[in-house]
Coordinates of all heavy atoms in Angstrom, one line a residue:
E1 N -20.8 20.7 8.2 CA -19.5 20.8 8.9 C -18.7 19.6 8.6 O -17.4 19.7 8.3 CB -19.7 20.9 10.4 CG -20.4 22.2 10.8 CD -19.5 23.5 10.5 OE1 -18.3 23.4 10.5 OE2 -20.2 24.5 10.2
A2 N -19.2 18.4 8.5 CA -18.5 17.2 8.2 C -17.9 17.2 6.7 O -16.8 16.8 6.5 CB -19.4 15.9 8.3
R3 N -18.7 17.8 5.9 CA -18.2 17.9 4.4 C -17.1 18.9 4.3 O -16.1 18.7 3.7 CB -19.4 18.4 3.5 CG -20.3 17.2 3.2 CD -21.3 17.6 2.1 NE -22.3 16.5 2.0 CZ -22.1 15.3 1.3 NH1 -20.9 15.1 0.7 NH2 -23.1 14.4 1.2
I4 N -17.1 20.0 5.1 CA -16.0 21.0 5.1 C -14.7 20.3 5.6 O -13.6 20.4 5.0 CB -16.4 22.2 6.0 CG1 -17.5 23.0 5.3 CG2 -15.1 23.1 6.3 CD1 -18.0 24.1 6.3
A5 N -14.9 19.6 6.7 CA -13.7 18.9 7.3 C -13.1 17.9 6.3 O -11.9 17.8 6.0 CB -14.1 18.2 8.6
L6 N -14.0 17.0 5.7 CA -13.5 16.0 4.7 C -12.9 16.6 3.6 O -11.8 16.2 3.1 CB -14.7 15.1 4.4 CG -14.4 14.1 3.3 CD1 -13.2 13.2 3.8 CD2 -15.6 13.2 2.9
E7 N -13.6 17.6 2.9 CA -13.0 18.3 1.7 C -11.6 18.9 2.0 O -10.7 18.8 1.3 CB -14.0 19.2 1.1 CG -15.1 18.6 0.6 CD -16.3 19.5 0.3 OE1 -16.2 20.8 0.4 OE2 -17.4 19.0 -0.1
G8 N -11.5 19.6 3.2 CA -10.3 20.2 3.5 C -9.2 19.3 3.8 O -8.0 19.4 3.4
R9 N -9.5 18.2 4.6 CA -8.5 17.1 4.9 C -8.1 16.4 3.7 O -6.9 16.0 3.5 CB -9.0 16.2 5.9 CG -9.1 16.8 7.3 CD -9.6 15.8 8.4 NE -9.2 16.3 9.7 CZ -9.7 15.9 10.8 NH1 -10.7 14.8 10.7 NH2 -9.4 16.3 12.0
T10 N -9.0 16.2 2.7 CA -8.6 15.5 1.5 C -7.6 16.4 0.7 O -6.6 15.9 0.2 CB -9.9 15.3 0.6 OG1 -10.7 14.4 1.3 CG2 -9.5 14.6 -0.7
R11 N -7.8 17.7 0.6 CA -6.9 18.6 0.0 C -5.6 18.7 0.7 O -4.5 18.7 0.1 CB -7.5 20.0 -0.2 CG -8.5 20.2 -1.4 CD -8.8 21.6 -1.5 NE -9.4 22.3 -0.4 CZ -10.7 22.2 -0.2 NH1 -11.5 21.5 -0.9 NH2 -11.2 22.8 1.0
V12 N -5.6 18.9 1.9 CA -4.4 19.1 2.7 C -3.6 17.8 3.1 O -2.4 17.9 2.9 CB -4.8 19.9 4.1 CG1 -3.6 20.0 5.0 CG2 -5.4 21.2 3.7
L13 N -4.3 16.8 3.4 CA -3.6 15.6 3.9 C -3.6 14.5 2.8 O -2.8 13.5 3.0 CB -4.3 15.1 5.2 CG -4.3 16.1 6.4 CD1 -5.2 15.6 7.5 CD2 -2.9 16.5 6.8
G14 N -4.5 14.5 1.9 CA -4.6 13.5 0.9 C -5.7 12.4 1.3 O -6.2 12.4 2.5
T15 N -6.0 11.6 0.4 CA -7.1 10.6 0.6 C -6.8 9.5 1.6 O -7.6 8.9 2.1 CB -7.6 10.1 -0.7 OG1 -6.5 9.4 -1.4 CG2 -8.2 11.1 -1.6
A16 N -5.5 9.2 1.6 CA -5.1 8.0 2.4 C -4.8 8.3 3.9 O -4.5 7.4 4.7 CB -3.9 7.3 1.7
H17 N -4.8 9.5 4.3 CA -4.4 10.0 5.6 C -5.4 9.5 6.6 O -6.6 9.5 6.4 CB -4.2 11.4 5.8 CG -3.5 11.9 6.9 ND1 -4.2 12.0 8.2 CD2 -2.2 12.2 7.1 CE1 -3.3 12.4 9.0 NE2 -2.1 12.5 8.5
P18 N -5.0 9.0 7.8 CA -6.0 8.6 8.9 C -7.0 9.7 9.3 O -8.2 9.3 9.5 CB -5.1 8.2 10.0 CG -3.7 7.9 9.5 CD -3.6 8.7 8.2
E19 N -6.6 10.9 9.3 CA -7.6 11.9 9.7 C -8.6 12.1 8.6 O -9.8 12.4 8.9 CB -6.8 13.3 9.9 CG -5.9 13.3 11.1 CD -6.6 13.1 12.4 OE1 -7.7 13.6 12.6 OE2 -6.1 12.3 13.3
T20 N -8.2 11.9 7.4 CA -9.3 12.0 6.2 C -10.2 10.9 6.4 O -11.4 11.0 6.2 CB -8.5 11.9 4.9 OG1 -7.6 13.0 4.9 CG2 -9.4 12.1 3.7
A21 N -9.7 9.7 6.7 CA -10.5 8.5 6.9 C -11.6 8.7 8.0 O -12.7 8.4 7.9 CB -9.7 7.3 7.2
I22 N -11.1 9.4 9.1 CA -12.0 9.7 10.1 C -13.1 10.6 9.7 O -14.3 10.5 10.1 CB -11.2 10.3 11.4 CG1 -10.3 9.2 12.1 CG2 -12.1 10.9 12.5 CD1 -9.3 9.7 13.1
S23 N -12.7 11.6 8.9 CA -13.8 12.6 8.4 C -14.8 11.9 7.5 O -15.9 12.1 7.6 CB -13.1 13.7 7.6 OG -12.4 14.6 8.5
R24 N -14.3 10.9 6.8 CA -15.2 10.1 5.9 C -16.2 9.4 6.8 O -17.4 9.3 6.5 CB -14.5 9.1 5.0 CG -14.0 9.7 3.7 CD -13.5 8.7 2.7 NE -12.5 7.8 3.2 CZ -11.2 8.1 3.1 NH1 -10.8 9.2 2.6 NH2 -10.3 7.2 3.6
E25 N -15.8 8.7 7.8 CA -16.6 8.0 8.8 C -17.6 8.9 9.5 O -18.8 8.5 9.7 CB -15.7 7.3 9.8 CG -15.0 6.1 9.3 CD -15.9 4.9 8.8 OE1 -17.0 4.8 9.3 OE2 -15.4 4.2 7.9
I26 N -17.2 10.1 9.9 CA -18.1 11.0 10.5 C -19.2 11.5 9.6 O -20.3 11.5 9.9 CB -17.3 12.2 11.1 CG1 -16.5 11.6 12.3 CG2 -18.3 13.3 11.5 CD1 -15.5 12.7 12.8
L27 N -18.7 11.8 8.4 CA -19.8 12.2 7.4 C -20.7 11.0 7.1 O -22.0 11.2 7.1 CB -19.1 12.7 6.1 CG -20.1 13.0 4.9 CD1 -21.1 14.0 5.4 CD2 -19.3 13.4 3.7
A28 N -20.3 9.8 7.0 CA -21.1 8.7 6.7 C -22.1 8.5 7.9 O -23.3 8.2 7.6 CB -20.2 7.4 6.5
S29 N -21.7 8.7 9.1 CA -22.5 8.5 10.3 C -23.7 9.5 10.2 O -24.8 9.2 10.5 CB -21.8 8.6 11.6 OG -21.4 9.9 11.9
V30 N -23.3 10.7 9.8 CA -24.4 11.8 9.7 C -25.4 11.4 8.6 O -26.7 11.5 8.8 CB -23.8 13.2 9.4 CG1 -24.8 14.2 9.1 CG2 -22.9 13.6 10.6
L31 N -24.9 11.0 7.6 CA -25.8 10.5 6.4 C -26.6 9.3 6.9 O -27.8 9.3 6.5 CB -25.0 10.1 5.2 CG -24.2 11.3 4.6 CD1 -23.2 10.8 3.5 CD2 -25.2 12.3 4.0
R32 N -26.1 8.5 7.6 CA -26.9 7.3 8.1 C -28.0 7.7 9.1 O -29.1 7.2 9.0 CB -26.0 6.2 8.8 CG -25.2 5.4 7.7 CD -24.5 4.2 8.3 NE -23.9 3.5 7.3 CZ -22.7 3.6 6.8 NH1 -21.8 4.4 7.5 NH2 -22.1 2.9 5.8
Y33 N -27.7 8.7 9.9 CA -28.7 9.3 10.9 C -29.9 9.8 10.0 O -31.0 9.9 10.6 CB -28.1 10.3 11.8 CG -27.6 9.8 13.0 CD1 -26.2 9.5 13.1 CD2 -28.3 9.6 14.2 CE1 -25.6 9.0 14.3 CE2 -27.8 9.1 15.3 CZ -26.4 8.8 15.4 OH -25.8 8.3 16.5
Q34 N -29.6 10.3 8.8 CA -30.7 10.8 8.0 C -31.3 9.8 7.1 O -32.1 10.1 6.2 CB -30.0 11.9 7.1 CG -29.5 13.1 7.8 CD -28.9 14.1 6.9 OE1 -29.6 14.9 6.3 NE2 -27.6 14.0 6.9
G35 N -30.9 8.5 7.3 CA -31.4 7.5 6.4 C -30.8 7.4 5.1 O -31.5 6.7 4.2
R36 N -29.8 8.0 4.9 CA -29.1 8.0 3.6 C -28.0 7.0 3.5 O -26.8 7.3 3.2 CB -28.7 9.4 3.2 CG -29.8 10.4 3.2 CD -29.5 11.9 3.3 NE -28.5 12.4 2.4 CZ -27.9 13.5 2.4 NH1 -28.2 14.3 3.5 NH2 -27.1 14.0 1.6
N37 N -28.4 5.7 3.7 CA -27.4 4.7 3.8 C -26.6 4.4 2.5 O -25.4 4.2 2.6 CB -28.0 3.4 4.2 CG -28.7 3.6 5.6 OD1 -28.0 4.2 6.5 ND2 -29.8 3.0 5.8
D38 N -27.2 4.5 1.3 CA -26.4 4.3 0.1 C -25.4 5.3 -0.1 O -24.3 5.0 -0.4 CB -27.4 4.3 -1.1 CG -28.3 3.0 -1.1 OD1 -28.0 2.1 -0.4 OD2 -29.3 3.1 -1.8
E39 N -25.7 6.6 0.2 CA -24.8 7.7 0.1 C -23.7 7.5 1.1 O -22.5 7.8 0.8 CB -25.5 9.0 0.2 CG -24.6 10.2 0.0 CD -25.4 11.6 0.0 OE1 -26.6 11.6 0.2 OE2 -24.7 12.6 -0.1

């Protein structure tokens, strides 16, 4: 779900938009919960 949101926001809003940044942070937090810190 986080990837869907990030990919869509990147396409629709661009990489520099605040909502896109929020999506990046949410995806990163999910990855960290899985121990995938480098990713």
Side-chain angles (χ1 to χ4, degrees):
E1 294 298 328
R3 286 189 186 280
I4 290 169
L6 176 57
E7 290 166 6
R9 284 179 166 169
T10 299
R11 277 190 302 277
V12 173
L13 303 173
T15 58
H17 194 279
E19 294 296 323
T20 305
I22 290 168
S23 289
R24 276 194 301 276
E25 290 294 334
I26 291 169
L27 176 57
S29 75
V30 171
L31 294 170
R32 285 192 175 95
Y33 273 94
Q34 297 176 81
R36 296 161 59 191
N37 295 322
D38 290 343
E39 189 175 350

